[in-house]
Amino acid sequence: MKIRHALTQSVTFLVMVVALLVLVPEGTMLVTGVKTPAMAVLSESMEPAIRRGDMVFVHNMSNEPFRIGEIILFKVDGFEHPVVHRVIKVHKHRDTGEIRILTKGDNNSVDDQFLYPVGQPWLQPHDIIGRVASYLPYVGWPSVFISEAYKMLQSGGSTTTPQVHWVTM
């Protein structure tokens, strides 16, 4: 009788864990509008505002215009991970209404134009995944360690992180 009860509790626990692993990410995606709403920071490019090893939380449910000073998450062709940097310029074309955005890491000496695709001096709204809503210090360190270990395995032992604000989950 005790074995049956323990087995039932174990199966129930496993079903609940699997349900949480499936439903929580889907639910947060619906609420935030972002596929991966929580990501670990892998570099120092946004220090001191956001540090390496912090966990950022991203949303994309706002229809508000982008503002200078806000921190966004964007994807650049050719880069494995999205980038989290601050908006430093917003340009709205007078005739077409098209929005163009220029970003920069707080700890970087130059803007991000060198990151954008060749011939594209500004980000376009479709490049932007979301806006950083908040962050938790140190919570992303497990992801940083895993990422560094993976890079070491891939590169044969040496790791050099460019001064770009990588994030991962």
Side-chain angles (χ1 to χ4, degrees):
M1 187 69 160
K2 288 184 180 184
I3 294 174
R4 177 180 282 179
H5 182 69
L7 186 60
T8 302
Q9 284 185 333
S10 298
V11 169
T12 302
F13 177 76
L14 286 174
V15 168
M16 288 174 54
V17 167
V18 169
L20 283 173
L21 290 174
V22 171
L23 295 177
V24 169
E26 292 298 319
T28 55
M29 185 174 75
L30 288 173
V31 170
T32 64
V34 179
K35 186 174 182 179
T36 309
M39 298 171 210
V41 176
L42 299 179
S43 85
E44 298 86 7
S45 71
M46 280 300 292
E47 289 185 1
I50 300 173
R51 298 186 179 281
R52 182 172 189 237
D54 291 351
M55 179 75 66
V56 294
F57 299 94
V58 181
H59 72 87
N60 193 23
M61 300 305 283
S62 175
N63 290 330
E64 294 180 28
F66 292 99
R67 297 177 317 274
I68 293 173
E70 77 178 314
I71 300 172
I72 62 171
L73 173 73
F74 60 92
K75 183 74 173 130
V76 178
D77 290 339
F79 287 90
E80 181 181 358
H81 299 290
V83 179
V84 173
H85 277 171
R86 191 175 304 276
V87 174
I88 60 168
K89 289 185 184 176
V90 178
H91 175 72
K92 184 174 183 178
H93 194 276
R94 194 175 347 167
D95 298 330
T96 64
E98 288 181 292
I99 302 295
R100 301 287 187 243
I101 297 163
L102 183 62
T103 56
K104 177 184 171 294
D106 290 357
N107 198 24
N108 292 348
S109 58
V110 296
D111 63 42
D112 291 339
Q113 287 183 332
F114 72 96
L115 292 176
Y116 308 156
V118 175
Q120 181 182 328
W122 299 79
L123 287 177
Q124 300 169 4
H126 70 272
D127 298 318
I128 298 168
I129 297 169
R131 303 166 194 251
V132 174
S134 62
Y135 72 97
L136 282 175
Y138 312 112
V139 176
W141 274 109
S143 292
V144 172
F145 290 134
I146 291 168
S147 175
E148 291 296 317
Y150 178 75
K151 282 194 279 188
M152 283 183 65
L153 288 172
Q154 295 295 84
S155 67
S158 66
T159 60
T160 54
T161 304
Q163 192 66 356
V164 175
H165 198 66
W166 302 113
V167 294
T168 187
M169 182 63 181

